[in-house]
Amino acid sequence: MFVRVQQFYEDASDSIRGHAFTVDGYKAGLRRSGEPFDYYLKWPGFNVPGWAVHKLRSGAMGSIRPCEAAMLEALALAGATEASYVIGVVCGDADTLDHELAHGLYATNLDYKAGAKDRLQQLAAADIAAMRASLLKSTYPNVDEILRDEMQAYLVGGDELGGVSDVVGLRQYFLDFIGRP
């Protein structure tokens, strides 16, 4: 259900990111490059800004698949708007939930975003470069704002990224911000 809207938002390929494509075409592209379609095995969580969901709803991504229609209906019932932020996680995966919530806060709360950016700026340049290289290798786009968002979310989720752990207290900042001990 998230494949097209997620990849429309942040696929590494300029031919996918921001363009209409079909899931079958996406799978065929992976096969041509020798990769399996393991999307839902590889990614335990998803995050998309409301504007990307609006693009799906408006038809900018092409025909809406039944699972996408179900998601759009659920979001409409929840009152989601272009200003909303949508996340999805595997049930029971608390670290991934924190990772995806961190994305949502980074995109929708200026105070949180400023604090997260301040903490990222405390990292050594070599650490930032290592995290960036790791993200680019993992098929994230070479877009600074997306990469910074991913860096803070991975550290909040308790993950090591490019050999770098949360030495600047991003996880604790996140927990304090949401009022969780």
Side-chain angles (χ1 to χ4, degrees):
M1 129 177 21
F2 279 96
V3 175
R4 288 197 314 153
V5 70
Q6 179 77 49
Q7 297 314 110
F8 183 90
Y9 166 53
E10 66 178 7
D11 196 89
S13 170
D14 290 336
S15 66
I16 297 285
R17 190 177 65 256
H19 299 281
F21 64 93
T22 65
V23 173
D24 287 341
Y26 185 75
K27 289 177 181 180
L30 290 172
R31 281 192 301 275
R32 280 191 300 276
S33 63
E35 298 177 54
F37 179 74
D38 58 358
Y39 196 82
Y40 293 106
L41 300 173
K42 183 177 182 179
W43 304 110
F46 306 93
N47 66 91
V48 291
W51 65 260
V53 174
H54 176 73
K55 292 285 190 181
L56 174 66
R57 180 178 285 114
S58 73
M61 293 183 203
S63 298
I64 296 172
R65 300 172 343 166
C67 61
E68 294 167 338
M71 177 178 68
L72 292 172
E73 183 178 342
L75 292 173
L77 289 171
T81 68
E82 280 190 66
S84 299
Y85 204 86
V86 179
I87 63 171
V89 297
V90 173
C91 186
D93 188 341
D95 288 339
T96 298
L97 178 59
D98 286 351
H99 174 109
E100 301 305 340
L101 286 172
H103 281 304
L105 284 171
Y106 191 87
T108 63
N109 189 297
L110 294 176
D111 291 335
Y112 176 82
K113 185 175 187 174
K117 281 184 164 184
D118 286 346
R119 281 155 183 80
L120 286 174
Q121 288 175 350
Q122 295 171 24
L123 290 167
D127 289 342
I128 294 288
M131 290 192 303
R132 181 184 192 85
S134 178
L135 289 168
L136 293 174
K137 185 178 178 183
S138 296
T139 70
Y140 286 97
N142 192 4
V143 176
D144 285 339
E145 189 62 16
I146 291 174
L147 294 174
R148 279 193 295 276
D149 179 20
E150 290 297 340
M151 288 175 195
Q152 66 88 27
Y154 273 99
L155 296 179
V156 162
D159 295 308
E160 205 172 78
L161 181 60
V164 179
S165 61
D166 182 17
V167 296
V168 293
L170 260 164
R171 180 158 178 81
Q172 191 58 54
Y173 170 68
F174 167 81
L175 293 172
D176 291 345
F177 197 89
I178 65 170
R180 191 187 323 148

